[in-house]
Amino acid sequence: MPARAATPLDLRRVSALLTDRVRDSSGILASALPAPLASGAVASWIRLLPGLMGLQGRLRVFLEEYRGQLRSTALVYDGHRPEWVLLILAALPEPGGADSAFRLLSGVSGAAARAGMHRIFAAVPDETRARETFFQAGFYSYTRETWFAAARTSLASSAHATTAREVTGRDAHDLFRFYTMTTPHAVQRAEQLVISDFDVSRRGGAYDPPHLIGGNPLAMRRERALIDGDELRPRAFALAFSGMERHPHVAKVRTQDGDVDLARDLLREATRSLPPGRLVTSPVRSYEEHVGRALLAEGFRETATSMLFTKELAIRVEERALAPAVVR
């Protein structure tokens, strides 16, 4: 049966499938948080209701069934940019579950295209069944991301004087410039971020997963956004989000030129105001290895690795270019 949008009558079945799959993670084919932390990525039934009722919210719910049996379901975030993000894709662990997930992905892609979206993103566990399902559905992987976690961050004062300050809307250009300097071209092409996406005063889309940060945007609240550098060159940024419900805190640091000490200093500063008693996590991409070393030095441990996938739904049109004409 073709994939379809879920309705309030599907609430019990969708909740049951998500709860059951998250418990052992064998049927999680995509998740905004890695499998060991995926329970925090699943919305409660109260948060599911608006998406099931078709209200104009940020959450959409889709499912695929066969002869009345629910075989896969997906929660989708509709953010502030022309893109959807798969918060979680869960399917039955039996052989038919992967086929169902493939059909569900095709249905979600069609719905996104009809809604005017340009692309879909998903964080996929680094295992064969999940990867192959997304490849077959027309997605491609543009980077790898490893999650680190700690019970709490260090409260020790920095050994170095920090010049970091809170980000304002006027920093959008500097942040975009720093992003382009420190991000591989393949990732920039996949994410398609522009200067306005870095404007914190307008809730720029760069601060929503899966771009500068990871996790479930519906269960996170931004606490800090820091930038370090001078008028000539930005050299680092740091973000800290507090988790709501079961979602862990999420912190993100990136520094230029592999500066591990600066990464540690900014991590301490950014997470200082996060409420205690909750796990602190940090996603580190394959081109940010020095940040991983900083996290390990601060007591973090590797939790899991995901591959970031995207599917383009709109054809990119090349810009017009003028060539010099030879006049005789």
Side-chain angles (χ1 to χ4, degrees):
M1 180 177 180
R4 63 174 176 84
T7 70
L9 297 178
D10 300 308
L11 175 60
R12 182 182 60 82
R13 295 192 303 159
V14 169
S15 296
L17 178 60
L18 289 173
T19 301
D20 184 57
R21 291 302 91 218
V22 166
R23 187 176 295 119
D24 64 9
S25 73
S26 61
I28 302 297
L29 299 182
S31 177
L33 288 170
L37 305 170
S39 60
V42 179
S44 66
W45 68 268
I46 296 177
R47 288 184 177 273
L48 284 175
L49 273 177
L52 292 169
M53 296 178 68
L55 300 178
Q56 294 300 313
R58 297 295 179 188
L59 179 68
R60 298 171 183 263
V61 186
F62 296 88
L63 59 83
E64 197 277 339
E65 58 187 348
Y66 179 70
R67 294 182 178 178
Q69 179 190 29
L70 178 62
R71 299 200 298 177
S72 63
T73 187
L75 305 186
V76 177
Y77 173 67
D78 183 359
H80 301 271
R81 283 165 44 86
E83 60 197 30
W84 283 0
V85 180
L86 277 171
L87 298 181
I88 193 165
L89 171 60
L92 296 178
E94 61 194 36
D99 294 336
S100 174
F102 168 77
R103 286 190 288 273
L104 182 57
L105 284 174
S106 298
V108 170
S109 299
R114 290 190 294 274
M117 298 297 108
H118 295 175
R119 62 197 71 86
I120 302 177
F121 290 98
V124 179
D126 192 9
E127 56 93 11
T128 303
R129 179 171 180 253
R131 291 196 307 265
E132 290 302 317
T133 300
F134 276 82
F135 282 133
Q136 292 172 10
F139 287 72
Y140 71 90
S141 175
Y142 60 94
T143 191
R144 189 183 302 268
E145 188 170 68
T146 299
W147 283 76
F148 291 74
R152 62 178 295 173
T153 55
S154 173
L155 298 179
S157 299
S158 170
H160 310 88
T162 176
T163 57
R165 57 176 176 78
E166 293 287 342
V167 172
T168 68
R170 292 177 297 178
D171 296 312
H173 181 270
D174 286 341
L175 283 167
F176 177 71
R177 186 156 55 99
F178 179 80
Y179 169 80
T180 57
M181 288 189 303
T182 60
T183 305
H185 179 71
V187 177
Q188 294 183 47
R189 185 182 185 279
E191 295 182 325
Q192 293 294 303
L193 296 176
V194 296
I195 293 177
S196 60
D197 289 317
F198 292 83
D199 188 344
V200 293
S201 65
R202 300 181 180 179
R203 189 172 171 79
Y207 304 99
D208 273 352
H211 304 303
L212 297 185
I213 199 75
N216 177 2
L218 298 174
M220 298 162 55
R221 181 177 60 250
R222 190 173 71 232
E223 297 287 347
R224 303 290 303 275
L226 303 174
I227 185 172
D228 188 285
D230 53 35
E231 295 181 356
L232 297 178
R233 189 186 73 165
R235 63 189 188 121
F237 75 82
L239 302 171
F241 289 74
S242 60
M244 298 180 288
E245 299 179 354
R246 295 171 295 171
H247 201 289
H249 298 321
V250 183
K252 178 69 176 185
V253 175
R254 186 183 296 179
T255 61
Q256 194 175 30
D257 302 327
D259 194 331
V260 175
D261 290 335
L262 179 57
R264 295 183 65 180
D265 293 341
L266 282 179
L267 178 68
R268 292 179 181 181
E269 182 64 28
T271 58
R272 192 177 300 278
S273 61
L274 292 177
R278 192 182 293 258
L279 198 68
V280 180
T281 60
S282 183
V284 177
R285 295 183 173 182
S286 57
Y287 49 90
E288 302 169 332
E289 293 181 357
H290 65 285
V291 178
R293 296 197 299 273
L295 291 168
L296 291 174
E298 289 295 304
F300 284 71
R301 294 292 179 266
E302 289 190 24
T303 300
T305 298
S306 302
M307 297 179 66
L308 299 187
F309 277 73
T310 189
K311 181 176 182 179
E312 297 181 358
L313 305 174
I315 299 176
R316 186 176 291 104
V317 178
E318 297 296 335
E319 295 184 56
R320 288 184 177 181
L322 299 178
V326 177
V327 179
R328 297 181 182 276

